[in-house]
């Protein structure tokens, strides 16, 4: 396994979080609204880690 700097528990927690987010999106009444919400949360997390988010738009 590649060293990601994460412990096995942290990696499991992150993977579960990603799965939950996909399920929320899949089951959302308003998918666009849910997608916007998840994007805001993820950008905030990235910014808190010092990752610039301005150039992430595709």
């Amino acid at each position: 396994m590649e060293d990601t700097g994460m412990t096995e528990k942290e990696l499991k927690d992150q993977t579960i979080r990603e799965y939950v987010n996909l399920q929320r999106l899949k089951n959302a009444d308003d998918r666009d609204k849910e997608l916007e919400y998840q994007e805001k949360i993820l950008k905030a997390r990235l910014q808190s880690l010092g990752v610039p988010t301005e150039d992430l738009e595709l």
Side-chain angles (χ1 to χ4, degrees):
M1 180 184 290
E2 182 179 319
D3 182 13
T4 62
M6 298 175 77
T7 66
E8 184 175 343
K9 182 184 181 323
E10 289 170 328
L11 187 55
K12 285 179 184 179
D13 288 344
Q14 178 62 34
T15 304
I16 290 168
R17 227 182 341 258
E18 290 176 30
Y19 181 78
V20 168
N21 286 340
L22 283 175
Q23 292 302 307
R24 284 182 57 156
L25 185 56
K26 184 177 174 183
N27 294 306
D29 291 331
D30 185 341
R31 289 184 180 184
D32 289 338
K33 187 175 180 180
E34 179 64 27
L35 186 58
E36 261 182 52
Y37 170 77
Q38 288 189 32
E39 184 178 35
K40 285 180 185 179
I41 298 299
L42 185 53
K43 280 186 174 182
R45 286 182 182 158
L46 288 168
Q47 289 170 353
S48 75
L49 294 169
V51 177
T53 58
E54 302 81 37
D55 297 331
L56 291 180
E57 296 295 324
L58 299 178

